[in-house]
Amino acid sequence: MPHGVECSTDIQEDSGSAGNIRIIDGLGPFVYKPHELQLYNIPSHPRVCQPNTNIAFIKTHKTGGTSLMQVFQRFGYLRNLSFVLPRQSINQLSPFGIRDRLYFPPTEGSSRPFDILTYHTVYDRAGITKLLSDDVTFVTIIREPMQRLKSAFSFYNLAKMYKIPGPDPLLRFLENPGKYEPTITIDTRNFAHLTRNNIALELGFPVKNLSSVKEEDIRDFVEKISREFDLVMVLEYFDESLVLLRRMLCWDMRDILNFITLNTTVFSTN
């Protein structure tokens, strides 16, 4: 049985409007007309569930993953859950995935090796379920590509690294990326390019297919992620994604509200 206490949704008749239903949960209360319950697929009786404590968060680079990682870490810390911890660098489990010698062993006598994975790694369903469980919930987060590029360019201070002068170094970089990263267009197997968007690779897209990607490969990959992940969050809809996360995991509102947004930068809309 999952750790934690029961959480529930209270459903009752609304005293202010005859026939209406008043629903109280972590976001409520909300009042619905009877026909709206069926329209929005809302249960008409109280729902009781257990908080989900078995989670694999595939943390992608420069997508708001650090802020979301704090949510999972705080949740696990308060419940004495076990985490997959890299032995050295926080990036040690990426880009080559989870390997025995790269993480600390689990505590002896635990019912399952680990409860939560939050650090950077590459999606490997078979390897991750072996560490957590067959019923582990998979979550990841993605971001609009241009905003992700702006974030990477700022975070890694690439204007200084590449010695690009002027008021808009990113624009100058985009005019001729090969000038500053000569191998970026030919070395498709290298994860190290700081400006390259590696989200697909981190979510398990085969590296061998990068040199000759076909439309059907992209379509199949997107369908695979949609099928295998329980939730794909979107940074541009972070608050809305947190609501979906809370409902899916049957968490309390406090579990998602007490977080600090880390490594953030405000960019111009130009």
Side-chain angles (χ1 to χ4, degrees):
M1 177 178 292
H3 301 281
V5 297
E6 290 186 349
C7 59
S8 64
T9 299
D10 182 21
I11 302 177
Q12 55 192 241
E13 290 189 6
D14 179 43
S15 58
S17 302
N20 288 352
I21 304 296
R22 179 181 174 89
I23 296 182
I24 304 174
D25 65 2
L27 296 175
F30 301 102
V31 176
Y32 295 93
K33 298 182 183 300
H35 74 275
E36 291 177 329
L37 296 178
Q38 183 175 3
L39 178 63
Y40 300 127
N41 195 27
I42 299 172
S44 57
H45 53 81
R47 176 181 59 87
V48 178
C49 59
Q50 289 284 341
N52 188 334
T53 60
N54 193 207
I55 304 154
F57 171 49
I58 307 303
K59 185 174 185 282
T60 51
H61 282 82
K62 312 314 303 169
T63 59
T66 299
S67 295
L68 189 55
M69 180 177 70
Q70 305 307 310
V71 174
F72 290 120
Q73 289 182 332
R74 181 180 183 278
F75 177 86
Y77 174 77
L78 293 176
R79 291 161 179 79
N80 196 30
L81 302 179
S82 60
F83 289 83
V84 180
L85 297 177
R87 287 184 176 272
Q88 298 177 9
S89 166
I90 60 173
N91 292 313
Q92 193 175 14
L93 304 180
S94 175
F96 304 109
I98 296 177
R99 299 180 181 179
D100 290 344
R101 291 170 293 182
L102 299 181
Y103 59 86
F104 289 104
T107 304
E108 293 184 6
S110 58
S111 59
R112 58 191 178 207
F114 298 100
D115 295 304
I116 300 177
L117 168 68
T118 61
Y119 287 94
H120 284 300
T121 190
V122 174
Y123 174 58
D124 169 18
R125 191 175 189 87
I128 293 172
T129 54
K130 183 178 180 181
L131 279 182
L132 279 73
S133 78
D134 291 335
D135 298 324
V136 62
T137 298
F138 281 91
V139 179
T140 192
I141 186 169
I142 59 177
R143 185 178 191 176
E144 192 277 324
M146 189 62 193
Q147 293 302 313
R148 186 207 168 277
L149 174 60
K150 290 179 179 179
S151 176
F153 202 84
S154 172
F155 180 80
Y156 297 119
N157 200 7
L158 297 185
K160 181 178 180 180
M161 179 184 298
Y162 295 144
K163 298 180 174 60
I164 307 176
D168 198 342
L170 178 57
L171 180 60
R172 294 194 61 177
F173 172 84
L174 290 174
E175 290 173 350
N176 188 3
K179 175 182 177 181
Y180 305 100
E181 294 186 355
T183 62
I184 192 170
T185 58
I186 58 176
D187 187 7
T188 58
R189 298 178 64 86
N190 190 349
F191 276 69
H193 294 298
L194 298 179
T195 59
R196 174 177 288 156
N197 189 339
N198 285 324
I199 292 179
L201 296 177
E202 292 169 323
L203 294 181
F205 190 86
V207 175
K208 63 181 180 180
N209 291 354
L210 285 180
S211 57
S212 58
V213 179
K214 300 177 182 178
E215 183 177 344
E216 61 185 61
D217 296 330
I218 298 174
R219 186 183 303 109
D220 292 344
F221 175 72
V222 172
E223 291 177 355
K224 178 176 182 290
I225 295 301
S226 179
R227 183 173 62 252
E228 296 185 1
F229 274 76
D230 297 279
L231 178 63
V232 177
M233 302 175 67
V234 180
L235 180 60
E236 285 72 23
Y237 297 93
F238 192 73
D239 292 346
E240 294 88 341
S241 294
L242 280 176
V243 171
L244 293 176
L245 179 74
R246 185 199 75 84
R247 291 179 173 178
M248 180 184 70
L249 298 178
C250 193
W251 285 7
D252 190 86
M253 268 305 264
R254 291 171 295 181
D255 297 323
I256 67 168
L257 288 184
N258 291 288
F259 70 90
I260 301 175
T261 304
L262 301 176
N263 295 340
T264 58
T265 305
V266 177
F267 302 108
S268 169
T269 57
N270 297 329

